[in-house]
Amino acid sequence: MLGLLTFGEQSGYDLLGLAKQSVGFFWTPARSQLYALLPTLVERGLARSRTVRQTRRPDKQLYRITPAGKRALREGLDQPLGSAVNRNPFALKLFFGEHRDPEKVRAEIEARVHAAQVHLRELEKIEQDLDKQRYLFPYLSLLDGVEDAKAKIRFGKRALALLDELGAGR
Amino acid sequence: MLGLLTFGEQSGYDLLGLAKQSVGFFWTPARSQLYALLPTLVERGLARSRTVRQTRRPDKQLYRITPAGKRALREGLDQPLGSAVNRNPFALKLFFGEHRDPEKVRAEIEARVHAAQVHLRELEKIEQDLDKQRYLFPYLSLLDGVEDAKAKIRFGKRALALLDELGAGR
DNA sequence: ACCACCATGTAACAGGTTACATGATTAA
DNA sequence: TTAATCATGTAACCTGTTACATGGTGGT
């Protein structure tokens, strides 16, 4: 959120929209979570807020990052990632595929391939219109998504082929 | 956990070990979480437990899956995955790389490539010794990990090259 | 008429982590 | 003697989701 606030003064609602169309592919806060977070940022001196009275719309709070907020952002980004397990519900379900109707397993893999293909096209569309000089790091995070989607497609095709091969003689 | 219990009667401790060397790459429960879960499985009729008294070791509880447990497992596996956002803390940090020392970003990418290479070798080693007929689905989930690791390596190399190219003229 | 957008919150619950608590056995 | 293994639990806390709660504006 501090990172998104560096794009300028915004309301909680604005931040949700911005999150959706930027970091939304790899992280999105729940509405309730965000509205709970913002006042604590102010309390901690990482952001300031001001109320904007509106007549045709509900009043809103606008938040702006402070110098302390920028320092906190940098410090947060400098924290090492740690080696938490990469949760993968798909792989988990696949692991226990033996206990399921083979057709359902197949369908699940096919659905994942399809979703990855759609996602890949979406990412490539964004890539075309992106200023890669100016938004180098967002561009890089997009490339990570591209490689990830390709991996899912590659895996899916291999898996379906193997199911035909090995699964046939059962 | 019900899935792991299909491998046979086990204690909580056994299950933790089994999880680590099987589904551990994409999911592991915390110890406290598991020990809290097991009695509820019994309460819900999905597992039965018996106490084994030991002299040189602490007494233990052994858990065995019931027919109702097997049904619940199948039903759980048949639940669709839903389209939750693929959380990716690495990509999130990368997105905001602008706010960091470029050297630290580079180092983080390099570390991820290295970790993926180590992981890939580990997976390929497991692959060699695996009976792919018997453990077809575990093998497939391993292949998913393989493609995923390769994607991380591919991305890392592209990203480092791009940082050299575009990052040089700043 | 209906839907999307603007706008902010509270409450209950689920899932997961970390720390606290204990203690014998066995291999290096 | 040091560390890993065997063995189970509780409590506090953090993160995140879902449901509840409200209501005007503007476009098709």
Side-chain angles (χ1 to χ4, degrees), chain A residues 27-33 55-58:
Chain A
W27 182 72
T28 29
R31 247 173 49 255
S32 57
Q33 198 185 356
T55 49
R56 355 195 95 196
R57 294 283 179 205

Side-chain angles (χ1 to χ4, degrees), chain B residues 143-154:
Chain B
L143 283 187
D144 187 64
V146 167
E147 291 297 344
D148 190 65
K150 284 181 180 171
K152 284 176 181 166
I153 295 165
R154 280 195 195 104

Side-chain angles (χ1 to χ4, degrees), chain B residues 36-50:
Chain B
L37 171 69
L38 289 171
T40 76
L41 292 183
V42 175
E43 268 171 47
R44 289 185 273 164
L46 308 179
R48 272 177 309 142
S49 71
R50 62 188 182 94

Side-chain angles (χ1 to χ4, degrees), chain A residues 26 77-79 86 88 93-94 100 112 133 137 140 144 147 152 154-155 158 166 170, chain B residues 26 77-79 86 88 93-94 100 112 133 137 140 144 147 152 154-155 158 166 170:
Chain A
F26 30 85
L77 291 172
D78 281 342
Q79 295 302 309
N86 228 320
N88 188 342
K93 289 185 70 178
L94 191 59
R100 303 181 67 193
R112 191 177 187 240
Q133 309 277 313
F137 292 103
L140 290 179
D144 187 64
E147 291 298 345
K152 284 175 181 166
R154 280 197 195 101
F155 162 76
R158 278 182 82 178
L166 297 175
R170 292 196 155 207
Chain B
F26 29 85
L77 291 172
D78 280 341
Q79 295 302 309
N86 227 320
N88 187 343
K93 290 185 69 178
L94 191 58
R100 303 182 67 194
R112 192 178 185 238
Q133 309 276 314
F137 291 103
L140 290 179
D144 187 64
E147 291 297 344
K152 284 176 181 166
R154 280 195 195 104
F155 163 75
R158 278 181 83 179
L166 297 175
R170 293 195 154 209

Side-chain angles (χ1 to χ4, degrees), chain A residues 51-86:
Chain A
T51 305
V52 175
R53 310 247 171 240
Q54 296 185 122
T55 49
R56 355 195 95 196
R57 294 283 179 205
D59 293 352
K60 60 180 172 181
Q61 301 291 322
L62 292 186
Y63 295 86
R64 180 192 291 272
I65 193 169
T66 62
K70 283 184 191 169
R71 280 195 300 277
L73 171 60
R74 177 178 297 249
E75 280 161 30
L77 291 172
D78 281 342
Q79 295 302 309
L81 274 165
S83 48
V85 176
N86 228 320

Side-chain angles (χ1 to χ4, degrees), chain A residues 27-55:
Chain A
W27 182 72
T28 29
R31 247 173 49 255
S32 57
Q33 198 185 356
L34 176 59
Y35 284 118
L37 171 69
L38 288 171
T40 75
L41 292 183
V42 175
E43 269 172 45
R44 290 185 272 165
L46 308 180
R48 272 177 308 144
S49 70
R50 63 189 180 95
T51 305
V52 175
R53 310 247 171 240
Q54 296 185 122
T55 49

